[in-house]
Amino acid sequence: MHTQHLHHDDARRAMAANIANAFFAEGLFDALPDVVFFVKDVEGRYVVVNQTLVQRCGQRHKSALIGRTPAEVFAHPFGQTYLAQDMAVLAGEADIEDQLELHLYPNRDPGWCLTRKSALRDAHGRIIGLTGISRDLAMADKKNPAYRKVAAAVHVIHEQYGQPLQLPELARIANMSVAQIERYFLRIFHLTPRQMIIQTRVDAASRMLNGDASVAEIAQACGYGDHSAFTRQFKATTGLTPTQYRQLAK
């Protein structure tokens, strides 16, 4: 078995060395309208983008993005936030795995997505860039046999997002173990229970920020006892502080 594994590794390396176009995936990602794909250099500049990203930036050609950073492509302060995220990955801090984000593209309504970013390294282990995708959040799989049981917990999240929500209690409502409810949430909603709580609270806060309530009042109403914790979570998810979002909305 070990010898066979080494043989496969050798075959992989040989194939990698013989592929003429290192960016062969670009054309494949061009065919996915619900996935944004990119490769950036060590300065955070776009090297490869797919057509979906071009369209969502309100552009017609890839040349409008290539060689530019997100700060030059997206409106302030979104671009600065995305660039700061990139620079953390490029600095060798943790890769980003399925981070829930609310993207506000120039030419479309707000859309929830899951973002992944990974550092790219050379043969010596040095970081030479990054690659990433943002997948539009898929529709719920209502045909799953466990949907009705899990839907009871989802109803509680949507109705009681302003209260402290504990995973063991949500599992009890669905008549499942904690491990089961987490597994079925991912299968049906493509989110963990915690991500759905964040999504529901940020959606509610976004609506409230169109009104006159103070940020502190909105934080309290959305289940955040700590005003600063609300601001951190909101900015991590939307790229804006609640105050900036309010100014943009108005």
Side-chain angles (χ1 to χ4, degrees):
M1 185 68 76
H2 183 62
T3 306
Q4 189 179 27
H5 182 68
L6 287 175
H7 172 72
H8 287 318
D9 278 353
D10 289 343
R12 278 164 57 96
R13 278 193 289 270
M15 186 173 183
N18 285 321
I19 292 175
N21 179 13
F23 300 132
F24 64 87
E26 179 182 352
L28 298 174
F29 280 105
D30 279 339
L32 298 177
D34 60 340
V35 177
V36 159
F37 166 71
F38 50 82
V39 177
K40 299 175 186 176
D41 66 15
V42 76
E43 300 294 331
R45 296 178 293 235
Y46 290 106
V47 176
V48 179
V49 296
N50 74 334
Q51 201 57 42
T52 305
L53 179 56
V54 174
Q55 290 166 351
R56 293 189 180 181
C57 289
Q59 303 294 334
R60 297 181 65 184
H61 304 291
K62 293 181 179 182
S63 57
L65 274 64
I66 303 301
R68 303 171 76 189
T69 69
E72 298 170 294
V73 170
F74 291 93
H76 179 83
F78 297 106
Q80 285 76 5
T81 300
Y82 300 151
L83 182 59
Q85 197 182 56
D86 292 343
M87 298 316 288
V89 173
L90 290 164
E93 296 175 27
D95 288 350
I96 293 165
E97 294 186 12
D98 282 343
Q99 178 167 319
L100 182 67
E101 293 181 332
L102 180 63
H103 280 192
L104 298 167
Y105 293 102
N107 67 331
R108 72 195 283 266
D109 291 332
W112 286 98
C113 65
L114 292 168
T115 297
R116 298 176 77 94
K117 292 183 180 179
S118 304
L120 293 172
R121 299 175 185 271
D122 65 14
H124 304 288
R126 291 186 294 251
I127 293 175
I128 56 170
L130 67 84
T131 186
I133 59 170
S134 284
R135 292 178 291 125
D136 290 352
L137 200 56
M139 298 293 287
D141 177 13
K142 295 186 178 181
K143 293 178 182 175
N144 190 296
Y147 176 78
R148 289 188 67 177
K149 289 170 73 175
V150 174
V154 173
H155 180 74
V156 169
I157 292 172
H158 287 165
E159 293 296 316
Q160 300 181 25
Y161 60 82
Q163 308 300 320
L165 293 167
Q166 304 298 332
L167 189 53
E169 177 61 15
L170 293 174
R172 188 193 64 74
I173 290 164
N175 197 24
M176 293 179 175
S177 69
V178 168
Q180 282 176 322
I181 196 171
E182 289 197 307
R183 188 164 65 248
Y184 282 115
F185 254 72
L186 278 171
R187 284 184 190 170
I188 296 169
F189 300 105
H190 317 282
L191 293 173
T192 64
R194 181 176 177 275
Q195 286 174 323
M196 182 173 282
I197 292 168
I198 292 170
Q199 180 191 31
T200 305
R201 286 174 170 171
V202 170
D203 269 339
S206 302
R207 292 191 300 271
M208 292 181 201
L209 286 164
N210 287 316
D212 298 323
S214 71
V215 173
E217 287 169 339
I218 293 170
Q220 195 78 38
C222 292
Y224 293 92
D226 179 8
H227 173 280
S228 60
F230 166 64
T231 298
R232 278 196 307 275
Q233 182 68 75
F234 194 90
K235 188 172 192 298
T237 309
T238 66
L240 297 169
T241 64
T243 303
Q244 288 171 328
Y245 190 96
R246 168 169 271 166
Q247 290 166 347
L248 195 72
K250 290 188 174 181

